[in-house]
Amino acid sequence: MLRSAARVLRANNRPQAGPLSSRRRLFWGASAGAASSSAGAASTAAASANLAANHVPSVAADLLPLVFGVVLAHAAIDEEGDDERLTSPPWKVESFGGKGSGAVASRPIERGERLIAERPLCIWPNNLSEEEARRLFEAMSPTEQKVFMDLARTEGTGAVGNLDDIRAKRATNGFSIPLLDAQGASKGVAGMVFPKIARINHSCAPNCAQAMNYSTLRMEVYSVTDIPQSSELSIEYLPGLITSSAAERRQQLRTHFGFDACLCPVCSASPDDVARSDARRREIKAISQSFRYGGGGDRKAKLAGLQRIQDLLTEEGYKGLPDFGDSDLNRAFAIFQTMSNRKGAGSST
């Protein structure tokens, strides 16, 4: 069955619904005292386990018609029919002391594995007032409230830090999800919280990627490379980072999340390595802009540009399918990468 799965990215343009901070501080620089304790992580894991695999999300009343329409438009049964496996991911949440905590592989993970398919804990509108957020929270069951409140919140200097606890936790852990009809047209956007997936930290060279499966109303996470046991799992929070320098990424993180540094392997490398990474990403940006602003109809030149992007990504150690901030280029590169992989597989047999 062909899945209707559209890639979604963490909301990033509003303090109420988007900025997602360094919940575990492993990849982010932040103030002391913001790290989650291992006891808190264990408490959240236990509470999350009490949510049924077919849990019905808490949906704001004004979003019900839209969500219902999305479900009907994409209605399908998960062909694997194994809710327990899909909602029991192969990771555990570990504390890293002052750097916080994150999701760590509990076994070796192969490239392309679907690690989890999680339904949202809640589906709320963006730009909630404090009163609206409190009302929606109080409409949740006690178990749902515990899972929600056991999630971490940012303690950084950004706008999220000034929010009440409910909105801050939603902003820290939520995704902004477009609600699409059967033709793929957006009918609105909702903020959704996936408490297990929220444990995965950010990296500028992630080893996992997330996508929304509208047929099952689940967020799915896939590995984009082989991941050894005990390795940190990561996803990318913002679109377009592949064409941004370390300084530009740092500014985006400061603007959206209130944190001054990204401590992922790309950003925390030596100055010389960071400079080389910046040069690669500047070249990727230049090529992507040539596609976006014309680029002519020279098919051979375009294929050469896509191949150069692929070579630069390989040098960068970027294993996933990047978001260039342009949907047409995203599609073109995805097709190119698929065809290249098929060609490579054919030549090796």
Side-chain angles (χ1 to χ4, degrees):
M1 180 184 298
L2 180 64
R3 291 178 176 276
S4 174
R7 183 173 181 180
V8 295
L9 299 162
R10 288 189 179 263
N12 56 76
N13 59 348
R14 303 181 184 88
Q16 293 89 342
L20 296 191
S21 72
S22 65
R23 300 179 296 285
R24 259 58 62 186
R25 305 300 187 274
L26 177 61
F27 291 114
W28 305 92
S31 58
S36 302
S37 67
S38 57
S43 174
T44 300
S48 297
N50 291 329
L51 290 175
N54 60 351
H55 168 73
V56 177
S58 173
V59 185
D62 53 347
L63 287 177
L64 273 173
L66 284 175
V67 174
F68 185 60
V70 167
V71 172
L72 286 181
H74 302 275
I77 299 174
D78 194 316
E79 66 271 18
E80 297 190 28
D82 189 353
D83 282 345
E84 182 61 30
R85 184 180 64 80
L86 294 178
T87 55
S88 299
W91 71 67
K92 54 186 176 181
V93 178
E94 290 189 358
S95 174
F96 298 94
K99 291 184 178 180
S101 60
V104 175
S106 56
R107 60 165 174 80
I109 294 172
E110 295 184 357
R111 176 186 177 188
E113 279 194 51
R114 180 169 56 173
L115 307 183
I116 189 172
E118 184 179 19
R119 280 186 181 161
L121 172 67
C122 56
I123 304 175
W124 295 353
N126 290 338
N127 299 315
L128 287 172
S129 68
E130 182 174 357
E131 293 73 22
E132 290 171 328
R134 170 61 61 179
R135 175 175 54 81
L136 290 170
F137 176 77
E138 290 177 348
M140 299 168 73
S141 72
T143 297
E144 292 170 333
Q145 290 180 2
K146 176 171 176 52
V147 171
F148 186 94
M149 295 308 293
D150 278 347
L151 293 170
R153 60 166 290 171
T154 179
E155 300 293 341
T157 58
V160 175
N162 298 322
L163 294 175
D164 57 278
D165 211 27
I166 293 175
R167 288 188 297 165
K169 286 178 182 289
R170 199 282 286 269
T172 301
N173 298 280
F175 286 81
S176 187
I177 308 294
L179 302 175
L180 308 179
D181 63 18
Q183 286 70 47
S186 177
K187 296 301 182 180
V189 178
M192 303 187 190
V193 174
F194 304 85
K196 293 179 181 177
I197 296 174
R199 297 298 174 180
I200 305 177
N201 284 315
H202 165 86
S203 173
C204 295
N207 54 20
C208 297
Q210 71 276 17
M212 189 68 192
N213 186 340
Y214 290 96
S215 67
T216 58
L217 198 63
R218 296 181 189 270
M219 174 74 78
E220 300 182 351
V221 175
Y222 294 83
S223 56
V224 298
T225 186
D226 292 339
I227 304 173
Q229 185 173 347
S230 302
S231 297
E232 177 82 5
L233 305 181
S234 58
I235 57 178
E236 202 167 28
Y237 284 1
L238 290 173
L241 293 184
I242 194 60
T243 60
S244 300
S245 67
E248 291 168 338
R249 297 195 301 274
R250 183 164 57 249
Q251 182 58 47
Q252 289 185 63
L253 297 175
R254 182 183 295 114
T255 299
H256 294 291
F257 311 135
F259 292 95
D260 294 329
C262 175
L263 302 180
C264 80
V266 177
C267 296
S268 60
S270 70
D272 287 345
D273 284 340
V274 171
R276 282 188 282 269
S277 171
D278 285 353
R280 287 190 289 267
R281 292 183 184 235
R282 280 195 299 270
E283 186 174 352
I284 292 173
K285 182 177 183 179
I287 297 172
S288 68
Q289 288 179 337
S290 74
F291 277 79
R292 186 179 304 177
Y293 303 120
D298 189 338
R299 181 174 181 273
K300 183 178 292 186
K302 289 185 175 181
L303 287 174
L306 293 172
Q307 182 60 61
R308 180 56 182 161
I309 290 177
Q310 181 61 73
D311 293 341
L312 291 165
L313 291 174
T314 299
E315 294 175 18
E316 187 71 358
Y318 195 99
K319 306 293 186 181
L321 191 63
D323 188 321
F324 300 97
D326 179 81
S327 59
D328 290 337
L329 179 55
N330 288 346
R331 285 192 291 270
F333 186 75
I335 294 171
F336 172 82
Q337 195 175 71
T338 299
M339 297 305 294
S340 296
N341 290 339
R342 288 178 179 174
K343 183 177 179 181
S347 63
S348 63
T349 56

